[in-house]
Amino acid sequence: MTGSHGMPEKRRAIAAAARVVFGREGYTRASVDAIATEAGVSKRTIYNHFADKEELFRAVTIEGADEVTETINTLMERHLRKILDLQEDLIAFGVDRVRAIYEFPEHYALVRALQAEVTRLPEQTLEAWTAAGPATAHQRLAPYLQAIADRGLLAFEDANKAANHFNLLTVTDVLQRTYYGALPLAESAAREIVTDGVRAFLRLYGVQNSAK
Amino acid sequence: MTGSHGMPEKRRAIAAAARVVFGREGYTRASVDAIATEAGVSKRTIYNHFADKEELFRAVTIEGADEVTETINTLMERHLRKILDLQEDLIAFGVDRVRAIYEFPEHYALVRALQAEVTRLPEQTLEAWTAAGPATAHQRLAPYLQAIADRGLLAFEDANKAANHFNLLTVTDVLQRTYYGALPLAESAAREIVTDGVRAFLRLYGVQNSAK
DNA sequence: ATTAAACTACACTACTTAGTTTTAGTGATG
DNA sequence: CATCACTAAAACTAAGTAGTGTAGTTTAAT
């Protein structure tokens, strides 16, 4: 059963374990031995697949970002493709997006670890991660907002800036308050933050047709 | 206030050095020996002033937060006490506030280190730091905005939410893009972000008849 | 000058780390 | 069968870690 979908099975086990341990312990504190144990693999095998600890870190941060980005893409398709009630759809998207933070705790733990390492990371690694993760977050949102604007439901000059403001007013607010998902947040509190954010966003860019 | 007034000179040297080294290396990687060297002090002296590494970290994060909070208070007094042109004053405040990020690089490096440790920190330490730093950021802004609203230049129902939105649209945007000050940001870019943020803020809460 | 507190320098403990090497074994391919 | 690529397990190297103990030195107030 060599499920070799490009990646040997062991490599995937190592990557998954690395994500957990790096997320839980941070880069420096995470030991390669601990990752090996978590992966159910010998330490030597890790070094057969990855040059060193740093390359392992680089690989898993980017792969993790890809995974989350994919999830967010799905959420945008689900909520922002066909708009029935703009405010409700934006709120539903925001709430699901926030929920995704708590559905990928290892990923956001990894984000915290990565942010702590920013000044020590090779420029290239940071760029690759930014491109895979945060950058896509609003680069991919912008076209959806543009499409909604084209149908006359939103009005702005720059879709990218609007997307940026949407993210700031919803998911960034949550990330900031919870230290990137480290602190728990009640579903109801998340909904309230997102609702406030969406209402502000619509006051900024909404077209007055659905009234109060 | 964590007064650095009655504090022996050596203790201050240690705290200053710890801020630099923790900021540069992160909590785990920073060694107490390195902090001692940076402070020009023997390691034993550090342990005469602080119970252990963790208490040292706790002390310097909170002292650093106090310092930055004080600076921000000064900026609010300077720009938000007497309003001449609301938009210009808010922009000037925002720009100075962003500049403060780069005037306290060790502090924001420390913030990154702290965020990475959030899940391992004693709850009490995190609470104390949140209270000294980020929490005050908009708790103290709210009264200024309220005073401006009382003069009829702004309109909102909840000053705290307005303050939160102001911060999100200006300084949080910058912090997020620069990984909490880790990446450089041109003065002009900072000004553009803040200007966009302030304009959005005024579309949300501004009263049309004022100035201009 | 005396005294007490604070300091330095440094050896020392008990432990952890990244990465390598060794030894023994696995399953597949030709 | 033999080779090949991989693996586990454990020992090992070389380095670094937090924190302690102590002997001798500085500092400042009396």
Side-chain angles (χ1 to χ4, degrees):
Chain A
M1 279 231 292
T2 28
S4 49
H5 270 281
M7 247 183 246
E9 189 191 336
K10 294 280 173 185
R11 196 198 139 110
R12 262 203 296 225
I14 293 166
R19 249 178 285 177
V20 171
V21 178
F22 279 134
R24 194 178 58 216
E25 309 286 346
Y27 178 77
T28 308
R29 186 183 309 220
S31 79
V32 178
D33 282 303
I35 294 169
T37 302
E38 176 80 26
V41 132
S42 85
K43 182 158 66 161
R44 198 65 192 84
T45 300
I46 292 182
Y47 285 100
N48 285 344
H49 287 275
F50 301 92
D52 53 23
K53 190 182 175 182
E54 200 173 299
E55 201 222 296
L56 176 58
F57 185 72
R58 189 193 56 73
V60 301
T61 48
I62 290 174
E63 285 165 26
D66 284 342
E67 193 182 315
V68 172
T69 295
E70 207 174 316
T71 299
I72 293 173
N73 284 341
T74 304
L75 293 180
M76 291 194 292
E77 271 301 304
R78 182 182 308 153
H79 295 295
L80 306 181
R81 165 69 72 190
K82 294 201 171 180
I83 299 299
L84 299 173
D85 177 325
L86 182 55
Q87 175 163 312
E88 284 311 307
D89 289 336
L90 288 175
I91 289 172
F93 169 63
V95 168
D96 272 5
R97 182 131 171 31
V98 166
R99 203 177 280 135
I101 298 169
Y102 292 94
E103 273 166 15
F104 296 97
E106 347 73 41
H107 171 71
Y108 283 90
L110 210 54
V111 171
R112 293 193 298 276
L114 183 135
Q115 286 180 336
E117 299 296 321
V118 159
T119 54
R120 284 174 293 282
L121 243 40
E123 203 180 329
Q124 192 184 359
T125 301
L126 182 62
E127 277 169 19
W129 182 79
T130 304
T136 55
H138 66 293
Q139 267 170 21
R140 301 218 182 178
L141 176 58
Y144 285 93
L145 296 183
Q146 185 62 62
I148 296 169
D150 290 344
R151 268 182 269 160
L153 298 173
L154 287 174
F156 42 69
E157 283 177 8
D158 185 335
N160 281 307
K161 285 185 179 178
N164 185 39
H165 284 168
F166 180 85
N167 282 326
L168 287 170
L169 292 166
T170 56
V171 72
T172 302
D173 196 358
V174 170
L175 288 173
Q176 199 193 221
R177 288 183 205 232
T178 62
Y179 294 99
Y180 281 77
L183 304 184
L185 186 74
E187 174 87 15
S188 60
R191 180 169 290 275
E192 200 194 314
I193 292 168
V194 168
T195 301
D196 280 353
V198 167
R199 277 209 270 255
F201 177 77
L202 288 176
R203 287 207 305 282
L204 283 173
Y205 302 111
V207 172
Q208 269 75 344
N209 58 357
S210 53
K212 312 196 171 182
Chain B
M1 250 197 276
T2 321
S4 25
H5 262 303
M7 250 177 235
E9 188 191 337
K10 294 283 173 184
R11 196 198 140 110
R12 259 201 300 222
I14 293 165
R19 249 179 284 178
V20 170
V21 178
F22 278 134
R24 192 178 60 217
E25 308 286 347
Y27 178 77
T28 307
R29 186 183 310 217
S31 78
V32 178
D33 283 301
I35 294 168
T37 302
E38 175 80 26
V41 130
S42 85
K43 180 160 67 164
R44 204 66 188 77
T45 300
I46 292 182
Y47 284 100
N48 286 343
H49 285 277
F50 301 92
D52 53 23
K53 190 182 175 182
E54 200 173 298
E55 201 222 296
L56 176 58
F57 185 72
R58 187 194 56 72
V60 301
T61 48
I62 290 174
E63 285 166 26
D66 283 342
E67 194 182 315
V68 172
T69 295
E70 208 175 317
T71 298
I72 293 173
N73 284 341
T74 304
L75 294 180
M76 290 193 294
E77 271 302 304
R78 182 181 310 151
H79 295 296
L80 305 181
R81 164 69 69 191
K82 294 201 171 180
I83 299 300
L84 299 173
D85 177 325
L86 182 56
Q87 176 162 313
E88 285 311 308
D89 290 335
L90 289 174
I91 288 172
F93 169 62
V95 167
D96 273 5
R97 182 133 169 31
V98 166
R99 203 177 281 135
I101 298 169
Y102 291 94
E103 273 165 17
F104 296 97
E106 346 73 41
H107 171 71
Y108 283 91
L110 210 55
V111 171
R112 293 194 296 277
L114 183 136
Q115 286 180 336
E117 299 296 322
V118 160
T119 54
R120 283 174 295 281
L121 243 40
E123 203 179 327
Q124 192 185 358
T125 302
L126 182 63
E127 277 169 19
W129 182 79
T130 304
T136 56
H138 67 292
Q139 267 170 21
R140 301 218 182 178
L141 177 58
Y144 285 93
L145 296 183
Q146 185 62 61
I148 296 169
D150 290 344
R151 269 182 268 161
L153 298 174
L154 288 173
F156 42 69
E157 284 175 9
D158 185 334
N160 281 307
K161 283 186 182 178
N164 186 39
H165 283 168
F166 181 85
N167 282 327
L168 286 170
L169 292 166
T170 57
V171 72
T172 302
D173 196 357
V174 170
L175 287 174
Q176 199 193 221
R177 288 183 206 232
T178 63
Y179 294 98
Y180 281 78
L183 304 184
L185 187 74
E187 173 87 14
S188 60
R191 180 169 291 275
E192 201 194 314
I193 293 169
V194 168
T195 301
D196 280 354
V198 167
R199 276 209 272 255
F201 177 77
L202 288 177
R203 287 207 305 283
L204 283 172
Y205 302 111
V207 173
Q208 302 311 51
N209 62 5
S210 72
K212 288 234 162 199

